[in-house]
Amino acid sequence: MVKRKLQGMSAMAALLIGSVTACSGLPTATPLPDPDVAGGSDGEQRGFTLVASGDVLPHASIIRQAQGDAGGSGYDFAPMLVGAKSVVSEADLAICHMETVYGADGGPYTGYPNFKSPPEVAKGLSSTGYDSCSTASNHSLDAGADGIDRTLGALDEAGIKHVGSARAEAEAREPAWLKGGTAKVAQLAYTYGTNGYPLPEERPWAVNLMDQEKIVADARAARKAGADVVVVSLHWGTEWQDAPDDQQLQLGKALTASKTDDRPDIDLILGTHAHVPQAYEKVNGTWIIYGMGDQIAGPMVNHSGAHDPRGNQGAIGRFTFAPPARAGERWVVRKAEFIPQWFDTEAGRVVNLNAAIAGGADHSAVRDRIRKVVLSRGAGKGGLVMGQ
């Protein structure tokens, strides 16, 4: 995997110094300790940065773009993700959401409604710097069990961890185990459903379905297995709705309230599925992104049949975790950021909106709309700032 990672506390210090909010009046984070004082080489714990992005949804137009970017021979998804690479690759941990399953080598490949994406998507994600992808979505069974097998195999080959769908029962029981600083991080993933496709009779565990009791039990099992930080990816919500729906609000509140020995069972919730950016919110002391929007998608048509530009808007979340003051306490998010993104369907490229605006592009209206939605539930008062 081609990936440039900032190391330990020096990464956090650089992010805290370099991150600038374009929203006046939003709070800034308390500076972290000097990395030389905080240590790491002497055995002390080191914090880390984690970034997460929205749905990777290769419509037919995206597949054609990747074929063109490969010069007509094969498929290359890396060029369309270059606009996100600086943010993704500089984080200690980077998590994506692989919405679709992969077809067989050589195709055929299809877009909506039953997706079969080129396996080369995984290589593009790897070259961008992603460490892990959630794979539980309503499209997880578009190509049956074979689609799951091909997808996870390609992610394995690309060096990307995955969770949410599985080839074996033992795999279904395990989180994706990741390392951030000195923290052992467990990622779990679930979906609200599979578009009516039943789970394979011989593989009832093939896709993790969203259930509060199961999520809590899995989070506690991960903690018992040594997880310092538990991240839960949820494919949920109402498509094309900017505001989180009642299920998101109720489940988010319940999951963040769950504790064991006065320590929260879950440290971060990452939402996908709605196709539009949704709010960030700090609930019971834990950050929830209700919806990150689409990172890669073709021109989107909403339920009324109209082209909807919101379907190509999103926000990358970036969270800086610091070690606990005392053993057994939770790792603390010392800085929470969102980075507005847009997929330019004409150019076939992800655009970091703040970077583009700084370069003179006229994208302020799109950036400001995303910011308004992200902050719509008071996340600014909770400490969320807009990053670069």
Side-chain angles (χ1 to χ4, degrees):
M1 178 186 297
V2 179
K3 186 161 189 170
R4 179 165 62 91
K5 292 290 190 182
L6 297 179
Q7 297 300 314
M9 296 299 292
S10 60
M12 292 190 292
L15 285 168
L16 290 171
I17 293 169
S19 296
V20 179
T21 175
C23 181
S24 59
L26 290 180
T28 56
T30 303
L32 292 173
D34 183 276
D36 293 329
V37 176
S41 60
D42 58 0
E44 291 189 23
Q45 296 189 89
R46 291 180 287 106
F48 65 98
T49 55
L50 180 152
V51 301
S53 55
D55 306 53
V56 175
L57 188 59
H59 290 93
S61 62
I62 298 297
I63 296 171
R64 290 193 297 271
Q65 178 70 51
Q67 190 172 30
D69 285 337
S73 177
Y75 302 86
D76 188 355
F77 289 84
M80 69 180 70
L81 284 160
V82 166
K85 186 169 183 176
S86 63
V87 174
V88 172
S89 65
E90 290 180 0
D92 295 296
L93 286 180
I95 293 174
C96 74
H97 174 64
M98 190 64 245
E99 170 102 11
T100 64
V101 292
Y102 300 159
D105 289 340
Y109 304 125
T110 56
Y112 182 84
N114 291 315
F115 291 87
K116 284 194 288 186
S117 306
E120 289 87 346
V121 176
K123 296 178 182 178
L125 294 169
S126 176
S127 68
T128 305
Y130 285 102
D131 298 291
S132 182
C133 290
S134 55
T135 58
S137 83
N138 55 311
H139 292 288
S140 293
L141 290 174
D142 277 7
D146 289 344
I148 291 175
D149 294 349
R150 289 191 296 261
T151 304
L152 304 189
L155 291 170
D156 285 341
E157 187 174 342
I160 297 178
K161 300 287 184 68
H162 46 79
V163 65
S165 57
R167 295 160 291 190
E169 188 171 4
E171 184 175 51
R173 290 197 299 264
E174 283 292 311
W177 288 106
L178 309 165
K179 192 74 172 178
T182 56
K184 188 176 182 181
V185 180
Q187 182 196 4
L188 303 167
Y190 309 84
T191 178
Y192 73 92
T194 56
N195 285 349
Y197 289 113
L199 291 166
E201 287 187 13
E202 71 282 6
R203 292 165 64 166
W205 34 259
V207 181
N208 287 341
L209 299 179
M210 203 164 63
D211 174 83
Q212 179 182 327
E213 291 185 1
K214 175 174 172 53
I215 296 169
V216 170
D218 290 349
R220 288 175 173 169
R223 189 79 81 193
K224 188 175 181 180
D228 298 301
V229 174
V230 176
V231 178
V232 174
S233 298
L234 295 177
H235 200 67
W236 62 352
T238 302
E239 291 182 339
W240 301 108
Q241 183 171 303
D242 291 340
D245 62 24
D246 288 343
Q247 183 193 43
Q248 287 173 288
L249 296 175
Q250 292 167 10
L251 182 58
K253 185 176 181 179
L255 292 178
T256 56
S258 179
K259 294 184 178 182
T260 300
D261 296 330
D262 205 36
R263 181 182 181 181
D265 294 316
I266 294 165
D267 298 296
L268 179 65
I269 295 176
L270 307 171
T272 56
H273 174 60
H275 299 308
V276 295
Q278 294 185 318
Y280 290 43
E281 187 175 17
K282 199 172 189 179
V283 182
N284 296 316
T286 296
W287 281 105
I288 300 174
I289 305 179
Y290 291 108
M292 293 179 281
D294 290 339
Q295 182 173 48
I296 290 178
M300 296 291 285
V301 176
N302 62 28
H303 292 316
S304 68
H307 173 255
D308 196 327
R310 296 177 301 153
N312 296 112
Q313 299 171 8
I316 287 181
R318 182 164 61 199
F319 300 89
T320 303
F321 282 84
R326 287 173 289 276
E329 295 183 350
R330 81 181 307 186
W331 284 61
V332 180
V333 174
R334 292 287 298 275
K335 188 171 187 178
E337 302 169 88
F338 71 98
I339 300 150
Q341 302 274 294
W342 170 58
F343 189 79
D344 182 347
T345 56
E346 292 188 6
R349 297 290 185 263
V350 170
V351 177
N352 180 322
L353 288 171
N354 281 335
I357 291 168
D362 185 19
H363 297 318
S364 296
V366 177
R367 188 271 312 275
D368 293 346
R369 198 205 81 81
I370 295 170
R371 178 173 61 191
K372 182 178 179 180
V373 171
V374 165
L375 297 174
S376 62
R377 292 187 62 84
K381 293 180 181 178
L384 185 71
V385 298
M386 184 163 66
Q388 299 299 307

